[in-house]
Structure formats: C-alpha cells, structure tokens
Amino acid sequence: MDITALSVSQIVSKIKTKELKAKDVVLTYLTNIDRLDSEIKAYLNVFHDYALKRAEEIDNNPNKKGLLLGVPVAVKDNISVKDFELTAGSKILKGYIAPFDATVIEKIKEEGAIIIGKTNLDEFAMGSSTENSAFFKTKNPVNTEYVPGGSSGGSAAAVKANETLIALGSDTGGSVRQPASFCGVVGLKPTYGRVSRYGLVAFGSSLDVIGPIGKSVEDVAITLSVISGFDLRDSTTAKVPVLNFETYLTGDIKGKKVGLIKEIQNFKIQPEVEEAFRKSLEIFEKNGAEIVEISMPHLKYALSVYYIVAPSEASANLARYDGVRYGFEGNADNLRDFYEDTRTKGFGSEVKRRILIGTFALSEGYYDQYYLKASKVRRIIFEEFKRAFEICDVILTPTSPTTAFRFGEKATPLEMYLSDVFTIPVNLAYLPAISVPFGVDSKGLPIGIQMIGKWFKEEELLNTAYVLQEEAKHV
C-alpha cells in the first residue's frame, strides 16, 4: 500500500478500522523527509519524537475519532505550536519557544492531526519565493533549480514532495495560493474572519489569513472544516456557521456564472499560463456554467495599494521586536543603540525595506497622501468585487502571471511583487480564493488557476474548484 497516495478521508477511515496504524503513516512521511529534505529544505524543524509519540497514543486509543485522525500536518513557522521553536523565518526570533498553541493548532489536535514539523518561509511572511528566509532557501520539488513560491513555500514544497499530507500556511497577499500554484498543489485562502488568527505572527493584520495546502480539493475542504470558527481570542473572527465543506463537492455547477475580468487582458501573462486559463474557462462552459464578463477598472491599482497598506501594518506590528522581551538581543550601552543593533542584526533586508516603506507612509505629512489614499482605493476595489458578485458566482483568473522562476531571477523588488498581481486584490477585499493545478508549461512547471468566491461562500468556491480538479485529470 502506497500510504502517500491516500487522501485524508482514506487515512482516517483506515486508522479507525485498524486497517492502518497511525504510526505507519507518520513513519512513511518521516522517512520521506529524511530522504528528501536535505535537498528540498521545506522544514525548519521536524518533530520526529513528538509525531511518533502522538501516533502511538492514537493507535493505543480504542475510541478513535476525529476528522484528521492520524493525518500528518506541517505548520508554517509563523504559527504558534506550544513548546516548539517559533522563528517566523527570522534571526530576531531564533530560540523563541512558543508558550501556547494557536487556535488552529488546538483545533487540528482535537481532531486527531499529528503535527510533523514547522516549515520554512520568507522572513515574517514577506516574500514571494522563500528566498528571504534567514536560514536557507526552500527548493521547488518539481524542479529544484526553481523557487517554490512564497511566503508559504516550505508548506507547499512539503506537500508536493510527499513530506506531509496537509500543511498550514498564511496568506497576506497570495502566500498560500501562489506557492501552491508554483508547486502544483491546492491552496486555499479562506474569507477574512472565517479562521482565527490567534497565535499567528502578525504581518498585515487586516490582510492575514491562515489557510490549508493539500494534494486535493477534498483534503483542503476537510481541513477548512476543522480550522474554521468563531474565536473569542480574535475579535476579527465572524460568527458564521462551520460547515462540513467536503459534502458540498458535488461537481454540479450547471447554471452557475463564472466571471471573466475584462481588464485581465491588460496584464502581462506568460502565454502558456494564458492558454491554460482559456482552457479552464472552456471546461466550466462544458460543465454547464455561463461565462460572464465583468469590469474592474481599479484592479490595476491593487498592487500599489497593497504595498502601502501591508508595509504600514507591518511597521506597527514589528515594532514589538526590540530585543527586550524575547528573541535576539543586540549589544549596546544605551537603549537607542540597543534597539538599533537588535533590529539591524535581527531583521533581513526585505523586512527592513517594508518597515521603512510603512513607517514613511504613516509619518506625519504623508499619512493622508499615502495610507489614507490607499485605504480609499482599497474600498473602491472592494465595491467593484461586490458589484461583480451581483452578476456572477465565482471569478476566474490565473493564480500567478507566470510559472515558477529560477532562484535570483527577479532582479528588483518590483519584479518580485508582480508575481502576486492576481492574488493581492483578494486579500484587499477580504474574499476567499483557491488555487488549483491545471497543466504544466513547456519546462514541466505547474500552472495554477485561481477561483475567487463570495464572502463566506467557501462551499460554492470549493465545489467549483472540484470541477476543475476532476477535469484537469483528463487534460
């Protein structure tokens, strides 16, 4: 039996019926990590002993239950797991041991999941390639000369390399969907407020969302059912029903309306990605959906808005890393120099760049000119999505304008930022979206198609994604 070929529901079922032991599942994935991760470098920390102990506890428990029973889950290292190191991919947090579990960790543990390790990321989730980690670069398992995407590159790479079955990532401007696209796996960004952010290291508080990465839409749907829900410890969570999302994967989309953004033709897209995108539209038509054109003239401003709003929020959130309370400590005779030494040595160049941009945008004399104006345009983009969803049920775009790029290929920060041009608007508008693999380019690199859903309508979004996933098997 090839354990890595089993889905979440298959593993859970086989463990409940004692056809399979949780320990065998964990050992299979740990063996893959030992064999492959010296090259892929998806993990910052592998929980060998902890994972095996948890598996044995499950096997010895006669009352086996849980939606994720015995399922190995990797966790992006900006999510708190009690008693394990939490670095957020930064030197400034090296050695910090988390004193509590994030809400999503509590939830997956309650459902029997086995946390197998913490995955690599761009420092403080700031990046699109996992080249900005303070520790090492993660490679794309499809072709190790290429980046896995970011910032959840470690999580996406771990799933693709069969080093875990499910991974949790965070998505501030596409950081779950874009690496899922580059690695050829499924990545979901839930509606802002569906999943608690308690225990997530903050980057942009009005943008951050924790989301699952998996091998299939079904696996991601089950995981979403587990991690969703209102949380008193996070005032931004919404009191909306938590559904069993997997039961909505019927494959029936007859009469549904799929939105095609008219302005998408103004963006520079790799020809093979554009061809795959056109084919995906044809598939939805074949399955009974209607393609409707929508206009979003302010979409072109989303990238500019994001790179004012996100760094502004980051500059406020990262002010807490001063070397006094936890993490890396600088060395100086007075407090000002101590702060300066801590942050100079502790933060990487991309984090410093965004802190400076954000601090400038929020400074006296520039707040109205930059942050306030960006917030107003963000609202306009939100309203354009709102109008679009009055005439369509889901909106389709490529996940990224290109497939994965080589390490060091993006010479400037702007070139790097452009890889998130289709994912960023979703975060600005608080919407749910999913990336599903759909073919490969001439180099064999995966292409991802993004579907954007209505607020808190993940069940409809997942069903649409399921249709594309099933059809992709025959393309």
Side-chain angles (χ1 to χ4, degrees), residues 224-236:
L224 180 64
S225 298
V226 172
I227 64 174
S228 295
F230 176 72
D231 183 10
L232 281 169
R233 295 168 297 187
D234 176 7
S235 61
T236 62

Side-chain angles (χ1 to χ4, degrees), residues 78 124-126 170-173 192 197 200-209 306 308-318 320 354 371 378 427 430:
N78 61 345
F124 282 102
M126 298 181 191
S170 66
D171 193 311
T172 307
Y192 183 85
R197 292 182 296 114
L200 172 69
V201 174
F203 165 13
S205 300
S206 73
L207 302 159
D208 299 337
V209 181
Y306 178 84
I308 292 172
V309 173
S312 295
E313 294 185 2
S315 72
N317 280 324
L318 270 61
R320 71 193 70 176
R354 298 200 195 192
Y371 186 77
R378 179 182 188 176
N427 296 76
Y430 314 101

Side-chain angles (χ1 to χ4, degrees), residues 45-329:
N45 191 1
V46 181
F47 303 167
H48 280 92
D49 295 341
Y50 169 83
L52 287 170
K53 184 182 176 185
R54 285 282 296 121
E56 286 174 358
E57 288 172 359
I58 288 169
D59 290 332
N60 293 332
N61 184 357
N63 186 23
K64 294 179 173 64
K65 60 182 181 179
L67 288 172
L68 296 176
L69 185 70
V71 173
V73 178
V75 178
K76 185 176 180 179
D77 197 29
N78 61 345
I79 299 171
S80 181
V81 178
K82 188 179 180 182
D83 298 331
F84 288 100
E85 189 177 38
L86 171 64
T87 69
S90 179
K91 285 180 184 174
I92 210 161
L93 275 175
K94 181 69 181 162
Y96 171 68
I97 304 300
F100 65 93
D101 279 330
T103 298
V104 291
I105 300 302
E106 289 178 352
K107 286 175 176 286
I108 64 170
K109 282 182 176 179
E110 284 169 12
E111 294 295 331
I114 299 172
I115 299 167
I116 205 165
K118 301 293 285 290
T119 55
N120 196 24
L121 67 152
D122 288 297
E123 185 180 2
F124 282 102
M126 298 181 191
S128 305
S129 63
T130 316
E131 291 176 279
N132 294 327
S133 170
F135 305 109
F136 45 74
K137 297 171 185 175
T138 298
K139 297 177 182 177
N140 192 323
V142 178
N143 186 327
T144 54
E145 293 180 10
Y146 290 79
V147 304
S151 63
S152 306
S155 290
V159 172
K160 183 63 178 179
N162 282 327
E163 295 181 354
T164 188
L165 181 53
I166 288 289
L168 295 181
S170 66
D171 193 311
T172 307
S175 289
V176 161
R177 291 159 287 151
Q178 187 251 30
S181 174
F182 280 11
C183 291
V185 292
V186 178
L188 173 69
K189 175 222 172 281
T191 307
Y192 183 85
R194 182 174 283 284
V195 178
S196 173
R197 292 182 296 114
Y198 179 75
L200 172 69
V201 174
F203 165 13
S205 300
S206 73
L207 302 159
D208 299 337
V209 181
I210 295 172
I213 298 172
K215 298 174 185 176
S216 69
V217 175
E218 298 95 313
D219 289 356
V220 163
I222 292 169
T223 310
L224 180 64
S225 298
V226 172
I227 64 174
S228 295
F230 176 72
D231 183 10
L232 281 169
R233 295 168 297 187
D234 176 7
S235 61
T236 62
T237 49
K239 288 184 178 179
V240 292
V242 176
L243 306 175
N244 184 349
F245 292 104
E246 193 190 16
T247 61
Y248 290 85
L249 305 180
T250 63
D252 181 9
I253 56 165
K254 289 183 180 70
K256 295 291 182 183
K257 293 183 178 178
V258 176
L260 172 62
I261 302 170
K262 183 173 74 174
E263 288 79 11
I264 210 165
Q265 62 193 1
N266 300 330
F267 293 90
K268 188 178 178 182
I269 303 172
Q270 183 180 325
E272 292 153 306
V273 174
E274 189 163 7
E275 185 185 350
F277 175 60
R278 296 296 165 190
K279 280 183 182 174
S280 69
L281 287 167
E282 291 170 11
I283 278 173
F284 286 119
E285 278 191 304
K286 188 184 88 173
N287 279 273
E290 180 188 348
I291 308 300
V292 295
E293 189 174 81
I294 56 175
S295 179
M296 298 191 66
H298 287 83
L299 196 69
K300 62 185 176 183
Y301 301 118
L303 199 67
S304 302
V305 169
Y306 178 84
Y307 280 103
I308 292 172
V309 173
S312 295
E313 294 185 2
S315 72
N317 280 324
L318 270 61
R320 71 193 70 176
Y321 302 106
D322 52 19
V324 175
R325 286 161 286 194
Y326 44 76
F328 176 80
E329 291 183 17

Side-chain angles (χ1 to χ4, degrees), residues 314-462:
S315 72
N317 280 324
L318 270 61
R320 71 193 70 176
Y321 302 106
D322 52 19
V324 175
R325 286 161 286 194
Y326 44 76
F328 176 80
E329 291 183 17
N331 185 24
D333 296 329
N334 61 71
L335 190 60
R336 180 188 173 87
D337 290 347
F338 176 81
Y339 284 168
E340 187 176 316
D341 191 58
T342 298
R343 294 161 74 81
T344 299
K345 293 175 181 174
F347 288 139
S349 58
E350 183 62 30
V351 172
K352 289 174 185 171
R353 181 183 294 115
R354 298 200 195 192
I355 288 173
L356 288 170
I357 291 169
T359 305
F360 176 78
L362 293 175
S363 60
E364 188 177 357
Y366 293 101
Y367 177 88
D368 289 359
Q369 189 178 345
Y370 292 105
Y371 186 77
L372 188 61
K373 188 179 287 185
S375 298
K376 288 177 178 177
V377 180
R378 179 182 188 176
R379 184 68 196 185
I380 292 170
I381 293 168
F382 174 90
E383 293 295 337
E384 285 184 349
F385 272 115
K386 195 174 178 182
R387 284 193 294 274
F389 281 120
E390 289 173 2
I391 58 170
C392 68
D393 300 292
V394 67
I395 297 170
L396 212 66
T397 74
T399 306
S400 179
T402 68
T403 52
F405 44 87
R406 290 180 184 272
F407 287 96
E409 186 179 313
K410 302 294 184 184
T412 66
L414 181 58
E415 284 183 73
M416 187 71 78
Y417 298 163
L418 285 168
S419 63
D420 297 329
V421 70
F422 295 133
T423 55
I424 277 171
V426 173
N427 296 76
L428 292 174
Y430 314 101
L431 290 159
I434 189 168
S435 177
V436 173
F438 190 71
V440 295
D441 68 6
S442 57
K443 298 173 187 172
L445 297 166
I447 295 168
I449 301 297
Q450 174 177 243
M451 282 141 280
I452 305 166
K454 295 177 181 177
W455 295 272
F456 298 107
K457 290 291 182 181
E458 279 86 351
E459 66 277 14
E460 293 180 10
L461 176 66
L462 286 160

